[in-house]
Amino acid sequence: MRIGLGINYAGGFKEVAAEVADLERAGLDIVFVPEAYSYDAVSGLGYLAAKTERVQLASGILQLYTRTPTLTAMTAAGLDYVSDGRYVLGLGASGPQVIEGFHGVPYDAPIGRTREVVEICRKVWRRERLEYQGKYYTIPLPAERGTGLGKPLKLINHPVRDRIPVLLAALGPKNVQLAAELAEGWQPIFFLPEKARDVWGEALAAGTAKRDPELGDLDVYAGPALAIGDNVEPLREFVKPHLALYIGGMGAKGKNFYHSLATQYGYGAEADRIQELYLAGKKDEAAKVVPDELVRDISLIGSAGFVKERVAAFREAGVTVLNVVPLAATAPERVKLIEQLRELV
């Protein structure tokens, strides 16, 4: 089982990069650079490529709608080159709040677009002359939609790898099925090991049945919060506002993926109340409604023995990468947590 984490560089990316180098020495296997509506992820990934030696570098995530499929492929090939083959292309649809609210681009057909983007990327990496006729993307653009001067081209450079690993962030059943069919990795959110099969088992099985054997087994990236030690259980309270934000605030009633997930986990009444309070502007009250059991079961917060037991549960549920969120105030403390977790996995 590998260990990863996502960085937060709001306070200064250069300082975070120095910390990542220390985390790499502590046993970190993969680091994710986010891209929401902060700095772009590509700049940070390129910087990290120059400051690290072994750790894999992943976008977490590049949004489908903000780049053309070919630019996504070119960017991935470039990052794979500067990192000597350490890049993982994390892709996802994000959500209407960011895509329409920040980028001004319609949020439509995420599943269909995901498939076409991945297919186009792989053709680019294989240096095929790019001809693609999809429902959402047509390359080259036909004469009736352009000048008629567009001709099939292939990537000038020879990529380090002709198949860069693709990781899809997916939650709904159709998205998860697509990830199991098409991608090297799948990143769910709020992964609860004991409920994962009930929620996603059918979709994963359907996608796996169509999977190309050359892709190998699907890597599953869970993202638990992490704190190891005696009397660290109170830190679980820090997880609740994050859960409340997603369950209560990421979408309107009836259109919130995370509310649906909490309901599938068996917390439907609590999810309704969280959403009601959050949408009314009562964020602190919403966080208090988040069930203690839910936080406990999706996190790695407790004694070394407890964490070891939960790691085993995650492994049993098919998780291959623990993409943790260390609950620590300083860089040395975060490095220590990764060292402790390395001993337990």
Side-chain angles (χ1 to χ4, degrees):
M1 184 176 279
R2 292 183 292 153
I3 300 173
L5 58 75
I7 67 168
N8 178 357
Y9 55 87
F13 183 75
K14 292 182 179 180
E15 293 80 3
V16 171
E19 180 179 334
V20 170
D22 291 335
L23 290 165
E24 179 181 46
R25 288 187 286 272
L28 189 71
D29 297 299
I30 183 169
V31 61
F32 283 76
V33 178
E35 184 174 84
Y37 44 99
S38 54
Y39 290 138
D40 72 290
V42 178
S43 299
L45 286 161
Y47 190 91
L48 282 177
K51 296 294 183 179
T52 56
E53 298 178 355
R54 178 191 57 81
V55 69
Q56 283 189 301
L57 307 171
S59 47
I61 53 159
L62 296 189
Q63 300 149 2
L64 291 175
Y65 304 90
T66 58
R67 296 170 177 84
T68 66
T70 40
L71 178 57
T72 297
M74 293 162 61
T75 299
L79 287 170
D80 207 44
Y81 173 74
V82 298
S83 66
D84 296 320
R86 291 185 285 139
Y87 177 60
V88 176
L89 174 58
L91 282 173
S94 186
Q97 296 94 331
V98 174
I99 300 305
E100 296 184 356
F102 191 68
H103 293 284
V105 177
Y107 185 88
D108 66 337
I111 298 171
R113 288 186 183 277
T114 299
R115 178 181 293 278
E116 294 190 12
V117 168
V118 173
E119 290 175 348
I120 291 168
C121 281
R122 287 178 173 156
K123 289 173 74 72
V124 171
W125 299 332
R126 292 193 299 265
R127 297 190 72 243
E128 299 176 7
R129 291 201 177 274
L130 191 54
E131 294 183 88
Y132 190 86
Q133 301 292 321
K135 183 175 180 180
Y136 306 101
Y137 303 102
T138 300
I139 305 171
L141 201 65
E144 60 269 23
R145 291 170 54 192
T147 64
L149 299 176
K151 303 298 180 184
L153 300 172
K154 67 179 179 180
L155 190 68
I156 293 173
N157 310 82
H158 289 260
V160 174
R161 294 180 288 177
D162 61 8
R163 173 161 279 176
I164 296 168
V166 173
L167 168 68
L168 296 182
L171 188 60
K174 292 183 179 179
N175 303 65
V176 172
Q177 181 177 331
L178 181 67
E181 175 192 347
L182 204 61
E184 281 84 358
W186 166 51
Q187 185 179 20
I189 194 170
F190 308 141
F191 190 92
L192 201 166
E194 288 80 5
K195 296 287 186 178
R197 187 179 299 275
D198 295 337
V199 175
W200 291 303
E202 186 175 334
L204 288 169
T208 301
K210 301 178 181 179
R211 186 175 180 82
D212 183 344
E214 290 188 7
L215 289 172
D217 294 334
L218 181 70
D219 274 323
V220 179
Y221 293 70
L226 174 68
I228 304 172
D230 297 328
N231 304 315
V232 298
E233 288 79 8
L235 293 177
R236 293 173 185 168
E237 294 299 315
F238 288 95
V239 179
K240 290 185 177 182
H242 184 65
L243 281 166
L245 166 64
Y246 278 79
I247 296 170
M250 288 293 190
K253 288 186 177 181
K255 295 183 179 181
N256 183 319
F257 310 128
Y258 313 100
H259 177 283
S260 299
L261 179 62
T263 300
Q264 290 176 286
Y265 280 166
Y267 298 105
E270 293 89 341
D272 287 344
R273 182 58 177 158
I274 292 166
Q275 187 175 60
E276 177 185 351
L277 290 167
Y278 204 96
L279 294 179
K282 301 177 181 179
K283 298 179 182 179
D284 292 340
E285 292 182 41
K288 292 178 182 178
V289 180
V290 175
D292 293 338
E293 297 82 3
L294 176 60
V295 176
R296 179 196 65 202
D297 292 342
I298 67 170
S299 304
L300 296 175
I301 302 174
S303 66
F306 172 83
V307 170
K308 188 172 183 177
E309 290 177 2
R310 294 309 295 162
V311 167
F314 277 91
R315 183 184 288 110
E316 179 66 23
V319 172
T320 58
V321 182
L322 292 169
N323 193 34
V324 297
V325 181
L327 299 182
T330 67
E333 289 173 327
R334 289 187 285 272
V335 169
K336 181 179 178 181
L337 278 174
I338 296 302
E339 290 174 338
Q340 290 177 295
L341 182 59
R342 172 55 64 197
E343 293 178 357
L344 297 175
V345 300

